[in-house]
Amino acid sequence: MEPPGNPGGTAVELELTVENVESALYQLYFDPDMEHKNVAQKWLTQAQASAQAWHFCWALLSPDKIPEVQFFGASTLHTKISRHWSDLAAEQHESLRTQLLSHILQFSSGPKMVLTRLCVALASLALNVIPQAWSQPVADMVRAFQPHKPDPEDGSGAKASQDPHTHCLTLLELLTVLPEEFQSSRLAQARRGQLREALAGEWAVVCPLLRQLMQSQDSSSQVKEKVLKCLSSWVALDVPLGEIQELLQDCFTALSDPELFDAAVETVVNAISQPDCQRYINALLSLMPLVLGLYDQLKTAAHDGDMETSHGICRIAVALGETHSRVLLEQVDHWQEYLALVNMILFCTGIPGHYPVNETTSSLTLTFWYTLQDDILSFEEEKQSVYLQVYRPVYFQLVDVLLHKSHYPSQEEYASWSSDDKEQFRIYRVDISDTLMYVYEMLGAELLSNLYERLGRLLMDPQQSAVWQDTEALLFGFQSIAETIDVNYSDVIPGLIGLIPRINISNILLADTVMYTIEAIINDYSQSGKNCKSCKAEFNKPIHVPSLSPQLNPTNKQSIIHIVGMLASLFTTLDINRQADCLEGAASSRLPVPQSTQNPVVVVLQQVFTLIQTILSKWLHDSEVVEAVCGVFDKSVRTLLHDFGPMVPQLGEMLGEIYSAFPQASALDLARQVHLRIHRPELNITSLTSEASLKCPRDHPDIAESFMDLHAQILKRKPDLYLSEQLDVKALFYCGILSLKFPETPTVKAASQFFTEFLSRCKDMPSFGDVLQRDGKLLTETVLQAVGGESPSSLTEHFSEVLLNLSRHCPALLSQWLKETLQTPGFPCAQLTAEQKHTFSQQLLREQTNKRRVKEIVKEFALLCRGPQGSGYSDY
């Protein structure tokens, strides 16, 4: 439809009439001039806030209007109800509810975006009047959507809504958005508590309806999928686990249906991940056989290479085992069932194939092993010893599994991997290394002996035909432990040193691991000293900082880097936990350290901090010096972990100064390391998001990558840090968009991960939601341009992640943005037809959970844009 001519002036000058609102909408959607669009957007926002909006919104919902106009009418209704409820007199509430229900019936056959917005508006109305003026909202909604004979005198146009299937889907949509609107609404604490109680009472009506629909043979897969999503929405209201047991059984049954599998996984995971579930022990225990019953399906999926199925079942097993680890451990009468669940998760950890090329499931399980170990070691000594008897053998099996999963593929296969796959595998091995280091706390010296004996058999027994990956994996295990834990008290280290010359170094990957293992052992030896008497004496002396006064000029740059490197080694040497070798003949004892003793690394670090600041003041723009300085703190953080806490505020200020003056990847990587390992909120991230610091130069993709990775990780683990009013969320959002325009895979991937976390938080964090409302269209436009040919085709997978999360978390807005961007002639490429654009939009908006399907949709769209021979980046 062609946009109408300008009705006598710009949108700002128009009077608030239905015709002028519609004209402004056409200007917003169809005018190619961005300035005109912005003016229209501003005027329409003001129009929504006006008192007249209560009236013109209904006219915009007329059946003869285009969907975009109808959507604005429905959005205006929601805006008025949610933000301007006090405009209405009490006697108007009933008629508004009736009107809304009538229009929902009218739009039950679509367009979907209009129907959903009307449902959200009714949900918002319900939250304003429950329970005083609407005591039984769900029962009334169910009654309103019962099929009825059409009234010949009814001129509402509801004839098309008589289809029971359509009625059912519409009712389920309404019941789904009701809890979601409650979760996203800004409510006073007392009112929130009152509404939560009222909605919990409505569950008695919702539950049997959902159960009936799940069990009915007449229910289509579409209805059942909607039931699952509805249940997932309601469990977030802390519905007692005991009241959804039967529905959860239905969910487990649905896991055998490929069409329902994804929705069923999401629902089950959401239900059993609620911490409140721990109050219902019996209900929790009843889930154990259901989860264990998926084991055969898991094994079959793993054998067949069905990554989606194995991934989903693993998520369910980990959700149950990790969320409720301690509670399930305490159920001693059911220890065998929980042990079976642990072994099921162990199978997931060792699932066949190389990560990330053949499988992506095993990484989901690593945090479970941390949780289980922490819970076991938190019991009192007598109970702990019993659990250790049961679970230490499992953890030894875990070590075997982790070492096997750390194996490199053959050199030929590894050479065929993409750089992105190699980087993911590297990170995966780092995660395995961290897990092995943590497991050492439970298994102790016996773990080292086990590794040593296996390596000895490989290298000494002529009957053993060891492949290089076996040797490399065992050395990798030693290195993982020796990097952060003093292993020189162990009797196996001299033997290990003797074995190393026997290794046949056949390739560079094995050579690297041999080198790092030797370096880790030498560092431990040089730091522990191996002289017991002098070692004891040194730990009883006060700590003295060496006098370091470098001449700060360009000719001394390498000397400065060397001195800073010496400081890093000094900090590791002074770790008070590395004292076992100072005890003559006592391999398992430790020197007692008074509780009041401050860690000497912290003391020295505090004393040399001024020196480091002086160095930085002269060399702030030199990347090598800054990287060396960051290396000092990185080494200290890895050594001290939580003992580093006192230094976090000073370090935060220093990182802010570095990055504001001259953005460097090493500063961002250090900030991420502190957040990941220490989890301290004192590291202020606002200085890393100021406009002055958001510099993403095209010739420094590493900086953009580190910046995006830092914020993705913090958003995932500590989103509350982004509630600071000083933080410029808009600037952060724009930096993410700039990072998506880089041609480098790691940078785009990091930006994609950032937007994945950002979009998932928009409903809970108003500042995020505001930025998304304002600039989400720019994000959509940027991604479509990239997919359409402005970026290498190898990056399409990462752009599909962004589009999937937009569809999942803000489908209505995405629908609007797709309409606005794709209607522009020649965008994102000249050869696309309007029909192809429309098909792409509809396919994308239908998918909110199926990652694989969205990848296929976006890839097909990219091929259409680039043509059969490819153009521009398409041949990369």
Side-chain angles (χ1 to χ4, degrees), residues 238-254:
D238 298 329
V239 174
L241 185 61
E243 296 182 12
I244 61 171
Q245 275 182 269
E246 294 179 337
L247 270 169
L248 279 179
Q249 290 175 356
D250 294 334
C251 293
F252 277 91
T253 301

Side-chain angles (χ1 to χ4, degrees), residues 555-575:
T555 61
N556 284 337
K557 172 181 169 180
Q558 294 305 318
S559 297
I560 290 172
I561 292 175
H562 179 70
I563 290 170
V564 172
M566 289 176 58
L567 282 175
S569 299
L570 172 65
F571 295 151
T572 307
T573 304
L574 291 175
D575 185 0

Side-chain angles (χ1 to χ4, degrees), residues 163-267:
D163 177 17
H165 180 262
T166 303
H167 268 202
C168 186
L169 290 173
T170 304
L171 174 61
L172 288 170
E173 177 73 12
L174 188 51
L175 295 180
T176 301
V177 301
L178 182 58
E180 292 175 349
E181 182 70 4
F182 167 75
Q183 300 285 8
S184 62
S185 296
R186 299 178 184 179
L187 300 165
Q189 186 174 356
R191 177 59 179 162
R192 181 170 292 276
Q194 183 186 35
L195 279 174
R196 182 180 291 275
E197 182 179 352
L199 289 175
E202 293 297 298
W203 175 247
V205 181
V206 176
C207 181
L209 172 65
L210 299 185
R211 189 86 207 283
Q212 176 188 351
L213 291 173
M214 280 301 292
Q215 294 193 322
S216 173
Q217 294 182 349
D218 296 331
S219 294
S220 65
S221 294
Q222 190 179 7
V223 166
K224 289 184 177 181
E225 182 179 10
K226 199 66 185 172
V227 169
L228 292 169
K229 293 179 179 179
C230 184
L231 174 58
S232 184
S233 176
W234 279 84
V235 296
L237 296 177
D238 298 329
V239 174
L241 185 61
E243 296 182 12
I244 61 171
Q245 275 182 269
E246 294 179 337
L247 270 169
L248 279 179
Q249 290 175 356
D250 294 334
C251 293
F252 277 91
T253 301
L255 290 169
S256 61
D257 185 340
E259 291 187 60
L260 301 177
F261 182 82
D262 289 339
V265 168
E266 289 295 333
T267 303

Side-chain angles (χ1 to χ4, degrees), residues 352-553:
H354 280 106
Y355 181 96
V357 176
N358 310 116
E359 63 90 7
T360 56
T361 298
S362 58
S363 61
L364 298 175
T365 67
L366 297 182
T367 55
F368 164 76
W369 300 109
Y370 287 75
T371 302
L372 178 60
Q373 178 174 315
D374 285 345
D375 288 336
I376 290 173
L377 297 181
S378 69
F379 287 117
E380 61 273 15
E381 187 174 349
E382 183 178 351
K383 185 181 290 188
Q384 182 184 128
S385 65
V386 175
Y387 285 112
L388 287 175
Q389 288 180 15
V390 175
Y391 287 100
R392 270 175 62 89
V394 176
Y395 272 82
F396 274 111
Q397 292 180 56
L398 172 65
V399 171
D400 292 343
V401 167
L402 292 175
L403 292 179
H404 181 73
K405 293 297 293 184
S406 71
H407 275 201
Y408 283 96
S410 67
Q411 289 179 276
E412 295 77 15
E413 183 181 350
Y414 190 66
S416 71
W417 284 14
S418 68
S419 58
D420 190 39
D421 287 337
K422 290 178 180 178
E423 175 62 11
Q424 286 191 57
F425 183 63
R426 183 193 68 80
I427 296 171
Y428 177 65
R429 278 174 52 104
V430 170
D431 292 338
I432 288 178
S433 177
D434 290 343
T435 307
L436 288 170
M437 177 195 72
Y438 205 78
V439 167
Y440 178 83
E441 183 181 350
M442 174 182 281
L443 302 182
E446 190 178 347
L447 173 56
L448 290 176
S449 299
N450 179 284
L451 295 176
Y452 171 67
E453 289 172 5
R454 291 174 59 183
L455 184 62
R457 286 195 298 271
L458 279 177
L459 298 177
M460 302 293 289
D461 188 348
Q463 302 298 320
Q464 293 281 341
S465 57
V467 295
W468 69 267
Q469 288 96 333
D470 293 331
T471 304
E472 192 278 336
L474 287 168
L475 288 174
F476 173 71
F478 274 112
Q479 173 200 329
S480 300
I481 298 168
E483 275 186 336
T484 51
I485 297 171
D486 181 9
V487 296
N488 285 298
Y489 68 82
S490 172
D491 294 337
V492 309
I493 298 304
L496 172 62
I497 296 173
L499 287 175
I500 288 177
R502 295 178 175 272
I503 298 173
N504 178 22
I505 300 177
S506 56
N507 63 74
I508 190 64
L509 296 172
L510 177 58
D512 279 347
T513 304
V514 170
M515 180 190 69
Y516 288 131
T517 304
I518 294 172
E519 181 182 357
I521 295 173
I522 290 176
N523 282 342
D524 274 355
Y525 264 78
S526 64
Q527 291 159 9
S528 60
K530 302 305 289 182
N531 185 312
C532 297
K533 291 184 179 179
S534 62
C535 183
K536 288 181 180 178
E538 286 301 317
F539 273 99
N540 286 325
K541 289 180 180 179
I543 297 166
H544 298 285
V545 179
S547 175
L548 301 172
S549 54
Q551 297 299 310
L552 301 175
N553 60 62

Side-chain angles (χ1 to χ4, degrees), residues 584-787:
E584 299 160 306
S588 61
S589 303
R590 296 276 179 175
L591 285 173
V593 180
Q595 293 297 314
S596 60
T597 300
Q598 189 173 14
N599 194 302
V601 178
V602 177
V603 176
V604 175
L605 197 56
Q606 289 173 333
Q607 293 177 8
V608 301
F609 201 91
T610 302
L611 169 67
I612 293 174
Q613 286 180 314
T614 303
I615 293 174
L616 279 178
S617 68
K618 303 291 184 180
W619 297 87
L620 195 57
H621 290 78
D622 189 288
S623 60
E624 291 183 73
V625 174
V626 171
E627 185 174 351
V629 168
C630 290
V632 171
F633 291 101
D634 180 81
K635 195 76 167 180
S636 303
V637 169
R638 292 175 182 270
T639 300
L640 296 172
L641 297 179
H642 291 283
D643 287 342
F644 189 86
M647 297 299 299
V648 170
Q650 288 175 278
L651 177 60
E653 293 181 8
M654 188 195 81
L655 288 175
E657 292 172 3
I658 291 174
Y659 196 74
S660 296
F662 185 67
Q664 297 195 42
S666 56
L668 295 168
D669 292 338
L670 176 57
R672 183 171 64 90
Q673 192 71 246
V674 174
H675 272 289
L676 291 179
R677 291 183 177 267
I678 305 179
H679 312 302
R680 292 288 293 264
E682 293 93 325
L683 183 57
N684 186 1
I685 63 167
T686 57
S687 60
L688 300 182
T689 54
S690 63
E691 287 192 7
S693 70
L694 291 176
K695 304 170 184 176
C696 299
R698 296 291 295 184
D699 55 342
H700 286 88
D702 58 326
I703 296 174
E705 175 193 351
S706 296
F707 186 86
M708 290 291 98
D709 195 40
L710 167 68
H711 286 283
Q713 292 292 341
I714 299 175
L715 264 176
K716 185 174 184 178
R717 295 169 183 261
K718 290 287 182 181
D720 290 350
L721 294 176
Y722 291 81
L723 296 176
S724 168
E725 294 182 357
Q726 302 174 12
L727 194 143
D728 190 346
V729 177
K730 180 179 179 180
L732 180 60
F733 192 88
Y734 270 59
C735 191
I737 290 177
L738 290 174
S739 299
L740 286 174
K741 296 183 178 182
F742 278 74
E744 289 80 7
T745 298
T747 307
V748 174
K749 178 183 177 183
S752 168
Q753 292 171 337
F754 163 75
F755 280 114
T756 295
E757 298 300 328
F758 185 99
L759 293 169
S760 70
R761 304 287 179 184
C762 284
K763 287 187 177 181
D764 302 323
M765 304 177 73
S767 60
F768 280 29
D770 292 342
V771 169
L772 181 65
Q773 287 271 357
R774 183 173 60 248
D775 297 317
K777 180 184 172 184
L778 178 59
L779 172 60
T780 306
E781 185 175 277
T782 301
V783 172
L784 293 178
Q785 282 179 325
V787 171

